[in-house]
């Protein structure tokens, strides 16, 4: 029995609702109540009842795997009952071609693929779908307790009292369990060996092409608007609106699709978000769309040290030299794995691969009411 099921037995709330956006991938035949089963030749994906699943075919009609979640490719929505990728899974360069294709895929997703003699799992580039793995048990899951069939072995690097009471983070690809690792989202997991292999970045140039900043902005805006349009055509969508720049940009990108968005809203839980609500309402009034406010009160329910401090493994005022020294080897191991062209953007990659993966990637699978997608992919 999965540890998540064992610990949930005495709860009144239904397991199938709380875990409806989660998944577990295993070679074995598993029993997970309310989860559906999808299978490749050697692997079974057990999927929560509201997590979208798409069967994938190559361009010759051969089944090659599944997409879990919501994914928008360069030609449109991949997430439907079945999609055909513009790739030949029997071709010698299939995996390289797929990774090139994946560069233009937006959303919150995981690709389970089996082709030729290989099987791999890829996630969205910030790990929003949530991905941890147990190499010993040969399982991949959205969260640690869905990967385990034994009690948790506490990760000795962390003070869990600090995390629970003061908001620290499990970072640098660690999880609550000493033997369960969180996948770096710019690596794929080789399911034959359960080893991580970096596939991005390859030889990308991260400077603005020909110095044309405005053309780059136009490309970003056009692509973001296209992605939003594809998602709202196929799913009910609620768009959070605040006074922040990210929120304003999303609102602008979504303008031509505003009639298809089910809800524009602001969530109030402190003074700052109360101000956000006022700005959000003004922005929505200007665009002529309804705006909802959800107020929490209405419901009773040296440089590497600085970088490690920014990971919020413990709150800033609790950070110490001991913590810096404890996590330095893990941080430096991550740094050593960065390709040369990524090192000039090390802070950005730290955000993409470590911080966001350890926050949104760890939290989103537990948010069962809605399938949230972050603007960062």
């Amino acid at each position: 029995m999965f540890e998540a099921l064992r610990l949930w037995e005495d709860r009144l709330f239904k397991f199938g609702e709380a875990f409806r956006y989660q998944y577990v991938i295993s070679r074995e035949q598993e029993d997970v109540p309310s989860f559906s089963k999808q299978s490749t030749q050697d692997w079974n994906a057990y999927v929560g009842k509201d997590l979208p699943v798409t069967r994938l075919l190559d361009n010759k009609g051969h089944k090659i795997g599944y997409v879990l979640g919501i994914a928008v490719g360069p030609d449109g929505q991949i997430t439907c009952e079945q999609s055909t990728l513009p790739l030949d899974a029997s071709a010698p360069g299939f995996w390289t071609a797929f990774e090139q294709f994946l560069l233009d895929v937006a959303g919150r997703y995981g690709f389970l693929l089996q082709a030729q003699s290989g099987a791999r799992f890829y996630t969205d580039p910030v790990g929003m779908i949530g991905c941890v793995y147990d190499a010993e048990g040969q399982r991949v899951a959205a969260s640690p307790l869905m990967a385990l069939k034994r009690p948790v072995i506490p990760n000795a690097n962390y003070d869990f009292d600090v995390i629970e009471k003061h908001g620290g983070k499990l970072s640098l690809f660690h999880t609550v369990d000493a033997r369960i690792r969180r996948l770096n989202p710019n690596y794929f997991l080789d399911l034959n060996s359960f080893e991580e292999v970096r596939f991005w970045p390859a030889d990308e140039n991260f400077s603005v092409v020909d110095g044309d900043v405005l053309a780059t902005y136009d490309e970003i805006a056009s692509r973001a608007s296209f992605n939003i349009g594809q998602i709202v055509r196929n799913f009910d969508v609620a768009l959070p609106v605040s006074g922040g720049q990210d929120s304003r940009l999303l609102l602008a990108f979504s303008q031509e699709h505003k009639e298809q968005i089910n809800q524009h809203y602001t969530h109030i839980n402190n003074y700052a978000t109360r101000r956000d609500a006022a700005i959000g309402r003004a922005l929505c009034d200007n665009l002529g769309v309804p705006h909802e406010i959800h107020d929490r009160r209405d419901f009773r329910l040296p440089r590497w040290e600085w970088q490690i401090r920014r990971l919020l493994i413990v709150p800033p005022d609790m950070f110490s030299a001991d913590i810096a020294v404890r996590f330095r080897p893990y941080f430096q191991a991550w740094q050593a794995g960065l390709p040369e062209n990524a090192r000039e953007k090390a802070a950005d990659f730290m955000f993409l691969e470590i911080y966001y993966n350890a926050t949104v990637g760890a939290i989103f699978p537990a948010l069962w009411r809605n399938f949230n997608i972050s603007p960062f992919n």
Side-chain angles (χ1 to χ4, degrees), residues 221 225 228 239 246-256 287:
S225 179
I228 291 169
L239 180 67
D246 292 335
S247 176
R248 290 170 187 247
L249 287 170
L250 279 177
L251 193 61
F253 297 154
S254 67
Q255 188 167 355
E256 66 178 283
L287 291 179

Side-chain angles (χ1 to χ4, degrees), residues 303-304 307 330-339 343 346 354:
R303 177 173 171 80
W304 61 267
Q307 291 173 313
Y330 303 105
F331 184 79
Q332 291 180 324
W334 166 76
Q335 278 186 322
L338 283 176
R343 293 184 183 180
I354 302 178

Side-chain angles (χ1 to χ4, degrees), residues 152-174:
V152 169
I153 300 172
N155 191 321
N157 290 299
Y158 295 86
D159 184 333
F160 292 105
D161 189 59
V162 169
I163 291 173
E164 180 179 0
K165 296 180 180 177
H166 302 283
K169 304 286 189 296
L170 292 159
S171 191
L172 289 161
F173 315 109
H174 293 161

Side-chain angles (χ1 to χ4, degrees), residues 45-327:
Y46 299 88
V47 182
K49 68 184 186 70
D50 289 325
L51 180 63
V53 182
T54 300
R55 185 187 306 108
L56 293 176
L57 307 179
D58 74 352
N59 59 11
K60 292 186 175 179
H62 299 134
K63 178 180 167 184
I64 56 174
Y66 296 91
V67 179
L68 312 182
I70 293 176
V72 179
D75 298 320
Q77 186 83 27
I78 296 174
T79 313
C80 53
E81 185 175 338
Q82 180 171 290
S83 286
T84 300
L85 299 187
L87 304 168
D88 179 359
S90 63
F94 166 72
W95 292 111
T96 300
F98 172 75
E99 289 165 4
Q100 188 64 37
F101 169 82
L102 196 61
L103 296 182
D104 291 320
V105 179
R108 175 185 170 190
Y109 56 75
F111 278 79
L112 170 62
L113 301 176
Q114 185 159 8
Q116 301 173 16
S117 60
R120 300 181 182 183
F121 192 70
Y122 294 81
T123 75
D124 58 82
V126 290
M128 275 183 283
I129 193 67
C131 180
V132 301
Y133 64 92
D134 175 11
E136 182 180 342
Q138 301 271 286
R139 286 183 291 271
V140 184
S143 58
L145 297 183
M146 283 302 297
L148 285 174
K149 288 189 174 182
R150 56 163 173 76
V152 169
I153 300 172
N155 191 321
N157 290 299
Y158 295 86
D159 184 333
F160 292 105
D161 189 59
V162 169
I163 291 173
E164 180 179 0
K165 296 180 180 177
H166 302 283
K169 304 286 189 296
L170 292 159
S171 191
L172 289 161
F173 315 109
H174 293 161
T175 70
V176 64
D177 188 88
R179 298 177 187 172
I180 302 294
R181 180 174 167 85
R182 186 167 297 280
L183 179 67
N184 182 325
N186 290 318
Y187 286 54
F188 66 80
L189 184 64
D190 185 325
L191 296 177
N192 291 339
S193 64
F194 266 74
E195 294 179 350
E196 296 183 41
V197 181
R198 180 183 284 278
F199 70 93
W200 189 84
D203 56 358
E204 283 83 1
N205 181 355
F206 293 110
S207 61
V208 176
V209 177
D210 299 325
D212 192 343
V213 176
L214 293 180
T216 300
Y217 289 166
D218 287 342
E219 181 183 352
I220 293 171
S222 175
R223 184 64 197 181
S225 179
F226 174 80
N227 292 338
I228 291 169
Q230 291 295 307
I231 293 172
V232 300
R233 282 177 52 194
N234 294 280
F235 298 95
D236 291 335
V237 171
L239 180 67
V241 183
S242 71
Q245 190 66 29
D246 292 335
S247 176
R248 290 170 187 247
L249 287 170
L250 279 177
L251 193 61
F253 297 154
S254 67
Q255 188 167 355
E256 66 178 283
H257 314 293
K258 63 183 181 181
E259 302 300 333
Q260 296 170 278
I261 294 176
N262 303 79
Q263 181 187 77
H264 296 77
Y265 74 96
T266 306
H267 180 212
I268 296 177
N269 56 13
N270 56 32
Y271 171 78
T273 50
R274 186 163 300 281
R275 185 172 57 182
D276 279 337
I279 296 171
R281 172 149 291 175
L283 292 170
C284 288
D285 286 346
N286 187 54
L287 291 179
V289 296
H291 175 257
E292 296 183 21
I293 293 175
H294 301 278
D295 194 328
R296 183 181 180 184
R297 297 179 305 176
D298 295 335
F299 300 89
R300 298 291 180 241
L301 311 172
R303 177 173 171 80
W304 61 267
E305 288 195 20
W306 168 82
Q307 291 173 313
I308 292 175
R309 184 175 187 269
R310 290 293 299 272
L311 295 176
L312 298 180
I313 293 170
V314 297
D317 60 353
M318 300 182 71
F319 188 78
S320 66
D322 288 343
I323 290 171
V325 169
R326 185 190 313 166
F327 288 96

